[in-house]
Amino acid sequence: MSTNIAIKVDNVSKVYRLGAKEDAQDSLLKSLVDAVKSPLTNYRKYRSLYNFSDLDFDNPEASTDPNVLWALRNVSFEVNHGEVVGIIGRNGAGKSTLLKILSRITPPARGRVEIHGRTSSLLEVGTGFHNELTGRENVYLNGTILGMRKKEVDRKFDEIVEFSGVEKFLDTPVKRYSSGMRVRLAFAVAAHLEPEILIVDEVLAVGDAAFQEKCLNKMQDVGSEGRTVFFVSHNMPAVTRLCERVIMLKNGQMADDGPAHDIVAKYMHEGSDTAAERSWPDNGSAPGANVVKLRRMRIKQENGETAASSDIRKPVGVEMTFDVVTEGFTLLPHIDVINEEGVCAFVSLDLDPAWRNKKRPKGTYVATAWIPGNFLAEGGFFINAGMVTLQPYKEVQFWEQETVSFHVVDSMEGDSARGDWAKELSGVVRPLLKWETEFSD
């Protein structure tokens, strides 16, 4: 194995056998007999729940037993030291199960996991905390669990406490902490005790905006120091800002693995009828009337390639291909850009001087509207496409809603309108405005 590999997951499956419903006894005698037999019966039930010899792990789909739950199915991947990897997927996709296996909380039913480096995990609020111990004592307890010596914890202690913001309650038992206080302290411990591999499961779901910003910045620092970060979240902007690589799980299986921008865009479009490209090759089904037929809509990059996602700093091309079947009309192609909340960001009319107020001959036209970089905010957008005739009379030729869609990704590289701001930014657009400051003392 390459010495650069931090984690290797090889053909891992995790299966749970659901317990069967017990029948109530209809007599006192039967209840007494069952009570006597219960130790042996319970032992057999326990053994049966963890016996998977009857399952075909190479072909999980062949299993029809309704009492068998496949949490993970033949998952394989490798992660190198220094990679920051996001894990995304719908609820029940197997994300938390995977992290529990990586954290050695539960073993796989089949497969092998190799981890090279000291691992720190934050899977739930207050993971590893003892309710009766104080915050101070739990810091040292967690450090010991992670394999740290007391001198190492002493060296990081002040930094942990400052980050957590619970100084006033440090000598209070954590059972009296709020959920926000617990996760603050838990994350501070997990991130500051110099783990070589940091595993975080949805920590940004708890805590205020300022704390979420600190978490993002800290995880980014951990990754920049050459340590490995595994980050599970439903917050797609946070995933794209933090991770360069994303693994998507679906129904316990690997659905995709690749660059964060591409995988997040695929995830956001999953279950939607719209994509980055749509065409109508058949004349009978193509939108349009007696003058124009719409043939294709697509989202493209500057190099001409179709793309479902775009860096916020790069221009996005909305391409409309249409056939003029009746000549002699002045046309007005136009698009609406709609965000995920249904708000219209803007409407754009085709004012290309080559064809403005000019009658068009028969033929195929490809019109592209370029949305500049540093204009739209991050998130998903849909394109409504329309066409009207202006002369010799006005008539709607087609009006197709949500023809194509794309996702704008805002990174944290510092040269977008976001700058060094890690928290959420509102608004439909996010222009990079020129600021000028005058100073006098």
Side-chain angles (χ1 to χ4, degrees), residues 306-366:
T306 302
S309 65
S310 175
D311 188 300
I312 197 170
R313 301 163 297 178
K314 305 294 184 182
V316 178
V318 181
E319 183 184 275
M320 178 191 300
T321 301
F322 57 91
D323 289 342
V324 173
V325 295
T326 303
E327 63 182 6
F329 286 82
T330 302
L331 306 177
L332 182 61
H334 57 94
I335 59 170
D336 293 356
V337 179
I338 313 295
N339 75 354
E340 293 171 313
E341 285 74 38
V343 177
C344 181
F346 63 90
V347 177
S348 181
L349 309 177
D350 183 359
L351 302 179
D352 182 358
W355 293 103
R356 186 178 179 183
N357 294 324
K358 295 180 181 179
K359 295 181 179 181
R360 304 204 188 200
K362 292 182 181 180
T364 299
Y365 297 79
V366 180

Short mmCIF file of all heavy atoms in Angstrom, two decimals, residues 306-366:
data_model
loop_
_atom_site.label_atom_id
_atom_site.label_comp_id
_atom_site.label_asym_id
_atom_site.label_seq_id
_atom_site.Cartn_x
_atom_site.Cartn_y
_atom_site.Cartn_z
N THR A 306 -20.77 21.33 -21.75
CA THR A 306 -21.96 21.36 -20.93
C THR A 306 -21.57 21.15 -19.47
O THR A 306 -20.73 20.30 -19.17
CB THR A 306 -22.96 20.28 -21.37
OG1 THR A 306 -23.29 20.48 -22.75
CG2 THR A 306 -24.23 20.32 -20.53
N ALA A 307 -22.16 21.93 -18.58
CA ALA A 307 -21.77 21.85 -17.16
C ALA A 307 -22.99 22.09 -16.28
O ALA A 307 -23.74 23.04 -16.49
CB ALA A 307 -20.68 22.86 -16.84
N ALA A 308 -23.16 21.21 -15.28
CA ALA A 308 -24.26 21.36 -14.33
C ALA A 308 -23.90 22.27 -13.17
O ALA A 308 -24.77 22.69 -12.41
CB ALA A 308 -24.69 19.99 -13.80
N SER A 309 -22.61 22.57 -13.01
CA SER A 309 -22.18 23.45 -11.92
C SER A 309 -21.17 24.45 -12.45
O SER A 309 -20.51 24.22 -13.46
CB SER A 309 -21.56 22.64 -10.78
OG SER A 309 -20.36 22.01 -11.20
N SER A 310 -21.06 25.55 -11.74
CA SER A 310 -20.13 26.60 -12.17
C SER A 310 -19.54 27.28 -10.95
O SER A 310 -20.24 27.54 -9.97
CB SER A 310 -20.86 27.62 -13.04
OG SER A 310 -20.02 28.70 -13.38
N ASP A 311 -18.25 27.57 -11.03
CA ASP A 311 -17.61 28.39 -10.02
C ASP A 311 -18.20 29.79 -10.09
O ASP A 311 -18.42 30.35 -11.16
CB ASP A 311 -16.10 28.44 -10.29
CG ASP A 311 -15.32 29.11 -9.17
OD1 ASP A 311 -15.59 30.29 -8.89
OD2 ASP A 311 -14.44 28.45 -8.59
N ILE A 312 -18.47 30.37 -8.93
CA ILE A 312 -19.14 31.67 -8.87
C ILE A 312 -18.37 32.75 -9.61
O ILE A 312 -18.94 33.73 -10.08
CB ILE A 312 -19.37 32.08 -7.40
CG1 ILE A 312 -20.41 33.19 -7.30
CG2 ILE A 312 -18.07 32.49 -6.74
CD1 ILE A 312 -20.87 33.47 -5.89
N ARG A 313 -17.06 32.56 -9.77
CA ARG A 313 -16.21 33.56 -10.42
C ARG A 313 -16.20 33.44 -11.94
O ARG A 313 -15.70 34.33 -12.62
CB ARG A 313 -14.80 33.44 -9.88
CG ARG A 313 -14.67 33.63 -8.38
CD ARG A 313 -13.37 33.11 -7.85
NE ARG A 313 -13.24 31.66 -8.07
CZ ARG A 313 -12.17 30.94 -7.73
NH1 ARG A 313 -11.14 31.54 -7.18
NH2 ARG A 313 -12.14 29.65 -7.94
N LYS A 314 -16.75 32.34 -12.47
CA LYS A 314 -16.69 32.08 -13.90
C LYS A 314 -18.02 32.41 -14.58
O LYS A 314 -19.09 32.25 -13.99
CB LYS A 314 -16.36 30.61 -14.16
CG LYS A 314 -15.08 30.13 -13.48
CD LYS A 314 -13.86 30.81 -14.05
CE LYS A 314 -12.58 30.24 -13.43
NZ LYS A 314 -11.36 30.93 -13.94
N PRO A 315 -17.99 32.85 -15.84
CA PRO A 315 -19.24 33.11 -16.56
C PRO A 315 -19.97 31.82 -16.89
O PRO A 315 -19.37 30.76 -17.03
CB PRO A 315 -18.78 33.82 -17.83
CG PRO A 315 -17.35 33.44 -18.00
CD PRO A 315 -16.81 33.23 -16.63
N VAL A 316 -21.30 31.91 -16.99
CA VAL A 316 -22.16 30.77 -17.31
C VAL A 316 -22.92 31.11 -18.59
O VAL A 316 -23.53 32.17 -18.70
CB VAL A 316 -23.16 30.48 -16.17
CG1 VAL A 316 -24.08 29.32 -16.56
CG2 VAL A 316 -22.43 30.18 -14.88
N GLY A 317 -22.89 30.20 -19.55
CA GLY A 317 -23.59 30.41 -20.80
C GLY A 317 -24.90 29.64 -20.84
O GLY A 317 -24.93 28.45 -20.56
N VAL A 318 -25.99 30.34 -21.16
CA VAL A 318 -27.30 29.71 -21.36
C VAL A 318 -27.57 29.68 -22.85
O VAL A 318 -27.79 30.73 -23.47
CB VAL A 318 -28.42 30.47 -20.61
CG1 VAL A 318 -29.76 29.76 -20.82
CG2 VAL A 318 -28.10 30.60 -19.14
N GLU A 319 -27.49 28.50 -23.43
CA GLU A 319 -27.57 28.35 -24.88
C GLU A 319 -28.95 27.87 -25.31
O GLU A 319 -29.48 26.89 -24.78
CB GLU A 319 -26.51 27.35 -25.34
CG GLU A 319 -26.45 27.15 -26.85
CD GLU A 319 -25.44 26.09 -27.23
OE1 GLU A 319 -24.25 26.42 -27.35
OE2 GLU A 319 -25.84 24.90 -27.37
N MET A 320 -29.53 28.56 -26.29
CA MET A 320 -30.84 28.21 -26.84
C MET A 320 -30.69 27.93 -28.33
O MET A 320 -30.24 28.79 -29.09
CB MET A 320 -31.84 29.36 -26.62
CG MET A 320 -33.23 29.10 -27.22
SD MET A 320 -34.29 30.59 -27.23
CE MET A 320 -34.39 30.98 -25.48
N THR A 321 -31.06 26.71 -28.75
CA THR A 321 -31.04 26.35 -30.17
C THR A 321 -32.48 26.24 -30.66
O THR A 321 -33.30 25.53 -30.06
CB THR A 321 -30.33 25.01 -30.38
OG1 THR A 321 -28.98 25.10 -29.89
CG2 THR A 321 -30.29 24.64 -31.86
N PHE A 322 -32.78 26.96 -31.75
CA PHE A 322 -34.16 26.94 -32.27
C PHE A 322 -34.15 26.98 -33.79
O PHE A 322 -33.18 27.45 -34.42
CB PHE A 322 -34.98 28.11 -31.70
CG PHE A 322 -34.40 29.47 -31.97
CD1 PHE A 322 -34.76 30.20 -33.11
CD2 PHE A 322 -33.49 30.06 -31.09
CE1 PHE A 322 -34.24 31.46 -33.36
CE2 PHE A 322 -32.96 31.31 -31.33
CZ PHE A 322 -33.32 32.02 -32.47
N ASP A 323 -35.21 26.45 -34.38
CA ASP A 323 -35.38 26.44 -35.83
C ASP A 323 -36.45 27.45 -36.22
O ASP A 323 -37.56 27.45 -35.65
CB ASP A 323 -35.82 25.06 -36.33
CG ASP A 323 -34.71 24.02 -36.23
OD1 ASP A 323 -33.54 24.43 -36.11
OD2 ASP A 323 -35.02 22.82 -36.26
N VAL A 324 -36.13 28.30 -37.18
CA VAL A 324 -37.13 29.17 -37.79
C VAL A 324 -37.72 28.42 -38.98
O VAL A 324 -37.01 28.13 -39.94
CB VAL A 324 -36.51 30.51 -38.23
CG1 VAL A 324 -37.52 31.33 -39.01
CG2 VAL A 324 -36.01 31.29 -37.02
N VAL A 325 -38.98 28.07 -38.88
CA VAL A 325 -39.63 27.27 -39.93
C VAL A 325 -40.45 28.14 -40.88
O VAL A 325 -40.83 27.69 -41.98
CB VAL A 325 -40.53 26.18 -39.30
CG1 VAL A 325 -39.67 25.19 -38.53
CG2 VAL A 325 -41.59 26.79 -38.39
N THR A 326 -40.73 29.38 -40.46
CA THR A 326 -41.44 30.32 -41.34
C THR A 326 -40.67 31.63 -41.34
O THR A 326 -40.48 32.25 -40.29
CB THR A 326 -42.88 30.56 -40.83
OG1 THR A 326 -43.57 29.32 -40.75
CG2 THR A 326 -43.62 31.49 -41.79
N GLU A 327 -40.21 32.04 -42.50
CA GLU A 327 -39.36 33.23 -42.56
C GLU A 327 -40.19 34.50 -42.56
O GLU A 327 -41.42 34.49 -42.71
CB GLU A 327 -38.49 33.18 -43.81
CG GLU A 327 -39.26 33.20 -45.11
CD GLU A 327 -38.34 33.09 -46.31
OE1 GLU A 327 -37.12 32.88 -46.13
OE2 GLU A 327 -38.86 33.21 -47.44
N GLY A 328 -39.46 35.64 -42.37
CA GLY A 328 -40.10 36.94 -42.48
C GLY A 328 -40.59 37.52 -41.16
O GLY A 328 -41.35 38.48 -41.16
N PHE A 329 -40.15 36.97 -40.03
CA PHE A 329 -40.60 37.46 -38.73
C PHE A 329 -39.42 38.01 -37.91
O PHE A 329 -38.31 37.50 -37.99
CB PHE A 329 -41.28 36.35 -37.92
CG PHE A 329 -42.65 35.98 -38.41
CD1 PHE A 329 -42.81 35.12 -39.49
CD2 PHE A 329 -43.79 36.50 -37.81
CE1 PHE A 329 -44.07 34.78 -39.95
CE2 PHE A 329 -45.05 36.16 -38.26
CZ PHE A 329 -45.20 35.30 -39.33
N THR A 330 -39.70 39.07 -37.15
CA THR A 330 -38.74 39.58 -36.17
C THR A 330 -38.99 38.86 -34.85
O THR A 330 -40.13 38.86 -34.36
CB THR A 330 -38.89 41.09 -35.98
OG1 THR A 330 -38.71 41.75 -37.24
CG2 THR A 330 -37.88 41.61 -34.98
N LEU A 331 -37.95 38.29 -34.28
CA LEU A 331 -38.10 37.44 -33.09
C LEU A 331 -37.44 38.06 -31.87
O LEU A 331 -36.49 38.85 -31.99
CB LEU A 331 -37.49 36.07 -33.35
CG LEU A 331 -37.98 35.31 -34.59
CD1 LEU A 331 -37.23 33.99 -34.74
CD2 LEU A 331 -39.49 35.07 -34.49
N LEU A 332 -37.93 37.65 -30.70
CA LEU A 332 -37.34 38.09 -29.44
C LEU A 332 -37.17 36.87 -28.51
O LEU A 332 -38.06 36.54 -27.73
CB LEU A 332 -38.21 39.14 -28.75
CG LEU A 332 -37.65 39.71 -27.44
CD1 LEU A 332 -36.31 40.40 -27.66
CD2 LEU A 332 -38.65 40.66 -26.79
N PRO A 333 -36.01 36.19 -28.58
CA PRO A 333 -35.73 35.14 -27.59
C PRO A 333 -35.47 35.77 -26.22
O PRO A 333 -34.90 36.86 -26.12
CB PRO A 333 -34.45 34.47 -28.13
CG PRO A 333 -34.33 34.95 -29.56
CD PRO A 333 -34.95 36.31 -29.58
N HIS A 334 -35.85 35.07 -25.17
CA HIS A 334 -35.62 35.61 -23.82
C HIS A 334 -35.59 34.47 -22.81
O HIS A 334 -36.11 33.38 -23.05
CB HIS A 334 -36.68 36.65 -23.44
CG HIS A 334 -38.09 36.14 -23.52
ND1 HIS A 334 -38.77 35.61 -22.45
CD2 HIS A 334 -38.95 36.07 -24.57
CE1 HIS A 334 -39.98 35.25 -22.82
NE2 HIS A 334 -40.12 35.51 -24.10
N ILE A 335 -34.95 34.72 -21.65
CA ILE A 335 -34.87 33.73 -20.58
C ILE A 335 -35.18 34.39 -19.24
O ILE A 335 -34.97 35.60 -19.06
CB ILE A 335 -33.47 33.07 -20.50
CG1 ILE A 335 -32.39 34.13 -20.25
CG2 ILE A 335 -33.18 32.26 -21.75
CD1 ILE A 335 -31.02 33.55 -19.92
N ASP A 336 -35.72 33.60 -18.33
CA ASP A 336 -35.86 33.98 -16.93
C ASP A 336 -34.92 33.11 -16.12
O ASP A 336 -34.85 31.90 -16.35
CB ASP A 336 -37.29 33.76 -16.42
CG ASP A 336 -38.29 34.69 -17.09
OD1 ASP A 336 -37.86 35.54 -17.88
OD2 ASP A 336 -39.49 34.53 -16.82
N VAL A 337 -34.22 33.70 -15.16
CA VAL A 337 -33.35 32.94 -14.26
C VAL A 337 -34.00 32.93 -12.89
O VAL A 337 -34.19 33.99 -12.27
CB VAL A 337 -31.94 33.57 -14.19
CG1 VAL A 337 -31.05 32.78 -13.24
CG2 VAL A 337 -31.32 33.62 -15.58
N ILE A 338 -34.37 31.72 -12.42
CA ILE A 338 -35.15 31.54 -11.20
C ILE A 338 -34.32 30.77 -10.18
O ILE A 338 -33.70 29.77 -10.51
CB ILE A 338 -36.46 30.76 -11.48
CG1 ILE A 338 -37.17 31.34 -12.72
CG2 ILE A 338 -37.36 30.77 -10.27
CD1 ILE A 338 -37.66 32.74 -12.56
N ASN A 339 -34.32 31.23 -8.93
CA ASN A 339 -33.56 30.50 -7.91
C ASN A 339 -34.40 29.38 -7.30
O ASN A 339 -35.56 29.16 -7.69
CB ASN A 339 -33.01 31.45 -6.84
CG ASN A 339 -34.08 31.94 -5.88
OD1 ASN A 339 -35.27 31.68 -6.04
ND2 ASN A 339 -33.67 32.67 -4.86
N GLU A 340 -33.83 28.64 -6.34
CA GLU A 340 -34.49 27.47 -5.77
C GLU A 340 -35.75 27.82 -5.00
O GLU A 340 -36.62 26.95 -4.81
CB GLU A 340 -33.51 26.72 -4.85
CG GLU A 340 -32.34 26.10 -5.60
CD GLU A 340 -31.29 25.56 -4.64
OE1 GLU A 340 -30.92 26.29 -3.70
OE2 GLU A 340 -30.84 24.42 -4.85
N GLU A 341 -35.87 29.07 -4.53
CA GLU A 341 -37.06 29.48 -3.80
C GLU A 341 -38.15 30.01 -4.73
O GLU A 341 -39.20 30.46 -4.27
CB GLU A 341 -36.71 30.58 -2.78
CG GLU A 341 -35.97 30.07 -1.55
CD GLU A 341 -34.53 29.71 -1.85
OE1 GLU A 341 -33.90 30.45 -2.64
OE2 GLU A 341 -34.03 28.71 -1.31
N GLY A 342 -37.91 29.95 -6.03
CA GLY A 342 -38.89 30.43 -6.99
C GLY A 342 -38.84 31.92 -7.25
O GLY A 342 -39.73 32.47 -7.92
N VAL A 343 -37.80 32.58 -6.75
CA VAL A 343 -37.65 34.02 -6.96
C VAL A 343 -36.94 34.27 -8.29
O VAL A 343 -35.92 33.64 -8.59
CB VAL A 343 -36.84 34.66 -5.82
CG1 VAL A 343 -36.61 36.15 -6.08
CG2 VAL A 343 -37.54 34.44 -4.50
N CYS A 344 -37.48 35.18 -9.09
CA CYS A 344 -36.86 35.52 -10.37
C CYS A 344 -35.68 36.45 -10.12
O CYS A 344 -35.84 37.58 -9.66
CB CYS A 344 -37.88 36.19 -11.29
SG CYS A 344 -37.21 36.62 -12.91
N ALA A 345 -34.48 35.94 -10.43
CA ALA A 345 -33.28 36.77 -10.25
C ALA A 345 -33.24 37.89 -11.28
O ALA A 345 -32.95 39.04 -10.95
CB ALA A 345 -32.03 35.91 -10.35
N PHE A 346 -33.54 37.55 -12.53
CA PHE A 346 -33.60 38.57 -13.58
C PHE A 346 -34.17 37.94 -14.86
O PHE A 346 -34.26 36.72 -14.99
CB PHE A 346 -32.21 39.17 -13.87
CG PHE A 346 -31.21 38.19 -14.40
CD1 PHE A 346 -31.07 37.95 -15.77
CD2 PHE A 346 -30.37 37.49 -13.53
CE1 PHE A 346 -30.14 37.06 -16.26
CE2 PHE A 346 -29.44 36.59 -14.01
CZ PHE A 346 -29.33 36.37 -15.37
N VAL A 347 -34.55 38.81 -15.78
CA VAL A 347 -35.01 38.42 -17.12
C VAL A 347 -34.03 39.01 -18.12
O VAL A 347 -33.60 40.15 -17.99
CB VAL A 347 -36.44 38.94 -17.40
CG1 VAL A 347 -36.86 38.60 -18.83
CG2 VAL A 347 -37.43 38.37 -16.40
N SER A 348 -33.66 38.21 -19.11
CA SER A 348 -32.74 38.70 -20.14
C SER A 348 -33.37 38.53 -21.52
O SER A 348 -33.86 37.45 -21.86
CB SER A 348 -31.41 37.93 -20.08
OG SER A 348 -30.52 38.41 -21.07
N LEU A 349 -33.36 39.63 -22.30
CA LEU A 349 -33.87 39.63 -23.67
C LEU A 349 -32.71 39.60 -24.66
O LEU A 349 -31.66 40.20 -24.41
CB LEU A 349 -34.72 40.88 -23.92
CG LEU A 349 -35.82 41.19 -22.89
CD1 LEU A 349 -36.50 42.50 -23.26
CD2 LEU A 349 -36.83 40.06 -22.83
N ASP A 350 -32.87 38.91 -25.77
CA ASP A 350 -31.84 38.82 -26.79
C ASP A 350 -31.78 40.13 -27.57
O ASP A 350 -32.65 40.42 -28.39
CB ASP A 350 -32.14 37.65 -27.73
CG ASP A 350 -31.04 37.46 -28.78
OD1 ASP A 350 -30.07 38.25 -28.77
OD2 ASP A 350 -31.15 36.53 -29.59
N LEU A 351 -30.74 40.92 -27.28
CA LEU A 351 -30.56 42.22 -27.95
C LEU A 351 -29.33 42.19 -28.85
O LEU A 351 -28.70 43.23 -29.09
CB LEU A 351 -30.43 43.34 -26.91
CG LEU A 351 -31.61 43.47 -25.94
CD1 LEU A 351 -31.34 44.61 -24.95
CD2 LEU A 351 -32.92 43.70 -26.68
N ASP A 352 -28.99 41.02 -29.36
CA ASP A 352 -27.86 40.88 -30.27
C ASP A 352 -28.08 41.79 -31.48
O ASP A 352 -29.06 41.63 -32.23
CB ASP A 352 -27.74 39.42 -30.72
CG ASP A 352 -26.55 39.18 -31.63
OD1 ASP A 352 -25.83 40.15 -31.96
OD2 ASP A 352 -26.33 38.01 -32.01
N PRO A 353 -27.18 42.76 -31.70
CA PRO A 353 -27.39 43.71 -32.82
C PRO A 353 -27.42 43.05 -34.18
O PRO A 353 -27.95 43.63 -35.14
CB PRO A 353 -26.20 44.67 -32.69
CG PRO A 353 -25.17 43.94 -31.88
CD PRO A 353 -25.95 43.05 -30.96
N ALA A 354 -26.87 41.85 -34.29
CA ALA A 354 -26.88 41.16 -35.59
C ALA A 354 -28.30 40.83 -36.05
O ALA A 354 -28.55 40.74 -37.25
CB ALA A 354 -26.04 39.89 -35.51
N TRP A 355 -29.23 40.64 -35.08
CA TRP A 355 -30.60 40.24 -35.45
C TRP A 355 -31.67 41.12 -34.81
O TRP A 355 -32.86 40.88 -35.02
CB TRP A 355 -30.84 38.79 -35.06
CG TRP A 355 -30.01 37.84 -35.85
CD1 TRP A 355 -28.89 37.19 -35.48
CD2 TRP A 355 -30.24 37.48 -37.22
NE1 TRP A 355 -28.39 36.43 -36.49
CE2 TRP A 355 -29.21 36.58 -37.59
CE3 TRP A 355 -31.20 37.81 -38.18
CZ2 TRP A 355 -29.11 36.02 -38.85
CZ3 TRP A 355 -31.13 37.25 -39.44
CH2 TRP A 355 -30.09 36.38 -39.77
N ARG A 356 -31.27 42.13 -34.05
CA ARG A 356 -32.27 42.97 -33.40
C ARG A 356 -33.07 43.75 -34.44
O ARG A 356 -32.51 44.42 -35.31
CB ARG A 356 -31.58 43.93 -32.43
CG ARG A 356 -32.55 44.76 -31.60
CD ARG A 356 -31.81 45.65 -30.62
NE ARG A 356 -32.72 46.45 -29.83
CZ ARG A 356 -32.33 47.35 -28.94
NH1 ARG A 356 -31.02 47.57 -28.73
NH2 ARG A 356 -33.23 48.05 -28.25
N ASN A 357 -34.40 43.63 -34.35
CA ASN A 357 -35.34 44.31 -35.27
C ASN A 357 -35.13 43.91 -36.72
O ASN A 357 -35.42 44.69 -37.63
CB ASN A 357 -35.23 45.83 -35.12
CG ASN A 357 -35.68 46.32 -33.76
OD1 ASN A 357 -36.63 45.76 -33.18
ND2 ASN A 357 -35.03 47.34 -33.24
N LYS A 358 -34.63 42.68 -36.92
CA LYS A 358 -34.43 42.20 -38.29
C LYS A 358 -35.23 40.92 -38.52
O LYS A 358 -35.30 40.05 -37.63
CB LYS A 358 -32.95 41.93 -38.55
CG LYS A 358 -32.08 43.19 -38.49
CD LYS A 358 -30.62 42.86 -38.75
CE LYS A 358 -29.77 44.12 -38.66
NZ LYS A 358 -28.33 43.83 -38.88
N LYS A 359 -35.80 40.81 -39.70
CA LYS A 359 -36.55 39.61 -40.03
C LYS A 359 -35.59 38.46 -40.32
O LYS A 359 -34.55 38.65 -40.94
CB LYS A 359 -37.45 39.86 -41.24
CG LYS A 359 -38.54 40.90 -40.96
CD LYS A 359 -39.43 41.13 -42.17
CE LYS A 359 -40.53 42.14 -41.86
NZ LYS A 359 -41.42 42.38 -43.01
N ARG A 360 -35.96 37.27 -39.85
CA ARG A 360 -35.05 36.14 -39.93
C ARG A 360 -35.47 35.16 -41.01
O ARG A 360 -36.65 34.83 -41.15
CB ARG A 360 -35.00 35.40 -38.59
CG ARG A 360 -34.61 36.29 -37.42
CD ARG A 360 -34.01 35.49 -36.30
NE ARG A 360 -33.80 36.30 -35.11
CZ ARG A 360 -32.97 35.99 -34.14
NH1 ARG A 360 -32.26 34.86 -34.20
NH2 ARG A 360 -32.83 36.77 -33.08
N PRO A 361 -34.48 34.69 -41.78
CA PRO A 361 -34.78 33.64 -42.77
C PRO A 361 -34.90 32.28 -42.07
O PRO A 361 -34.56 32.12 -40.90
CB PRO A 361 -33.55 33.68 -43.69
CG PRO A 361 -32.45 34.18 -42.82
CD PRO A 361 -33.08 35.14 -41.86
N LYS A 362 -35.37 31.27 -42.82
CA LYS A 362 -35.45 29.92 -42.28
C LYS A 362 -34.05 29.42 -41.95
O LYS A 362 -33.06 29.78 -42.59
CB LYS A 362 -36.09 28.97 -43.30
CG LYS A 362 -37.56 29.22 -43.56
CD LYS A 362 -38.09 28.18 -44.54
CE LYS A 362 -39.56 28.40 -44.85
NZ LYS A 362 -40.06 27.38 -45.80
N GLY A 363 -33.97 28.56 -40.94
CA GLY A 363 -32.68 27.99 -40.56
C GLY A 363 -32.60 27.71 -39.08
O GLY A 363 -33.56 27.90 -38.33
N THR A 364 -31.44 27.22 -38.66
CA THR A 364 -31.18 26.89 -37.26
C THR A 364 -30.32 27.97 -36.63
O THR A 364 -29.29 28.36 -37.18
CB THR A 364 -30.48 25.52 -37.14
OG1 THR A 364 -31.32 24.51 -37.70
CG2 THR A 364 -30.20 25.18 -35.68
N TYR A 365 -30.74 28.44 -35.46
CA TYR A 365 -30.04 29.50 -34.74
C TYR A 365 -29.60 28.98 -33.38
O TYR A 365 -30.32 28.23 -32.72
CB TYR A 365 -30.94 30.71 -34.55
CG TYR A 365 -31.38 31.38 -35.85
CD1 TYR A 365 -32.41 30.83 -36.61
CD2 TYR A 365 -30.77 32.55 -36.28
CE1 TYR A 365 -32.82 31.43 -37.79
CE2 TYR A 365 -31.17 33.16 -37.46
CZ TYR A 365 -32.19 32.61 -38.21
OH TYR A 365 -32.59 33.20 -39.38
N VAL A 366 -28.41 29.40 -32.96
CA VAL A 366 -27.90 29.07 -31.63
C VAL A 366 -27.58 30.38 -30.93
O VAL A 366 -26.60 31.06 -31.27
CB VAL A 366 -26.64 28.18 -31.70
CG1 VAL A 366 -26.16 27.86 -30.28
CG2 VAL A 366 -26.93 26.89 -32.46
#
